[in-house]
Amino acid sequence: MELPYAEPYKIKVVEPLYRSTREQREQWIAEAGYNLFNLRSDQVFVDLLTDSGTGAMSHHQWSEIMLGDESYAGSLSYYKMKDVINTLFGMPYFVPTHQGRAAENVLFSALIKEGDVVPGNSHFDTTKGHIEFRRANAIDCTIDEASDTTLYHPFKGNIDLQKLEDVFKTYPKEQIPLCIITVTCNTSGGQPVSMQNIREVSELCKKYDIPVFFDAARFAENAYFIRIREEGYAGKDIREIVKEMYSHVDGATMSSKKDAIVNIGGFLACRDKEVFEKIRMYCILYEGYLTYGGLAGRDLAAVAQGLMDGTEFDYLEARIAQVAYLGNKLKEHGIPCQEPFGGHAIFVDAKKFLPNVPKEEYQAQTLAIELYLEGGVRGVEIGTLLADRDPKTRENRYPALELLRLAIPRRVYTNNHMDYVAACLGNIYQKRDQITKGYRIVNEVPIMRHFTVELEKA
Ligand SMILES: *Cc1c(COP(=O)(O)O)cnc(C)c1O
């Protein structure tokens, strides 16, 4: 018999979780304005709000924390990070930043001006926020297959080359400062981009002389999917695949809170000295001196180690298998999910789950609230609230997909927790016909409203 996978680590430290009653949760969620971001963490039993900064560090990483060099300039921890970034990605230049969005802020300050357009595959919310804040436009060129949750496609994060070339033909080069490939593509369901697509997008960008950058938060999970799904990569070392992915791009913004498995951190890496010279000033202005970029030395050291931990095949296999374990449990209950399952999360199709709730009353948010009430499980809406309003018309933008995302923190929960979550959603699925009403907005801000929006029952 072929032996099954098992987590390539054991547990050294545990943290208690708190259970609650439905009555308590009804009161807490009402007090939170029906926004799950407003809950206290001890009001949540299984927290699948995000996989960002919520991972468990290894004892190697904790050792690096102790070894952190807190020198203002020239910290040895910075040089550890520089070595790893150069080895893994072949990028000689980088600046640390305090998070992924800070790397976006630094890069976009140097590159994007009012009226520009930035094509890519379903830009992440902070990425889109930083583009729109500069009065530029993010243009989504994701393949159409991505918006059909039941259709099988191994690389639903791919960019449609025709859509991308249309952008290049419609706008002058001066108005297209860069193209962004998000690996894996969070917004379309944690879906990977194939090496072939990365290569072809890169060639097209070269032809039109447009720089191409990764939004690289989950680059290692993307490399894992290339290894198991793309022809020619079976059995290939993850780090070799990573190196090849990065060989096609000019640089990358990174949220280290994802695939570098740290609680805080980010960076911006690039190949070109000229680009580095443009971004340096903004790093110093917004983040801090070039060798710490808004982080402590110990944080840089933990990132360097985390990048190595996060590119181990056995770790990635167990991680992605746990996500699929939850997905398969939900399928056993008949619950509609984005398939194939993504790398970091399961995305439940809320339009199909709650067809009786009108889209104007936020179907995915309604499902997220139901799940919290049922079992104290916190997921997050990836739908109309997240999509914000159109900057010109101020109308709600209704995205093609209305999803409840269950993001799984790295190395944190066991499969028993996954069974628990599946049972909660299974119970709601049984009574879905009785759920006919959603929520109304009572208070919101113009950009990235989903973090702070307040709602009431419709
Ligand atoms: C998390 C994330 C970001 C932003 O990073 P933060 O560290 O949260 O600021 C950008 N892009 C993608 C794809 C992400 O997942």
Side-chain angles (χ1 to χ4, degrees), residues 99-101 104 124 126 182 186 215 217-218 255 257-258:
Q99 290 196 203
R101 71 198 65 188
E104 290 165 356
F124 185 67
T126 62
T182 308
N186 191 345
D215 178 349
R218 300 182 184 82
S255 169
K257 301 170 73 172
K258 320 297 178 24

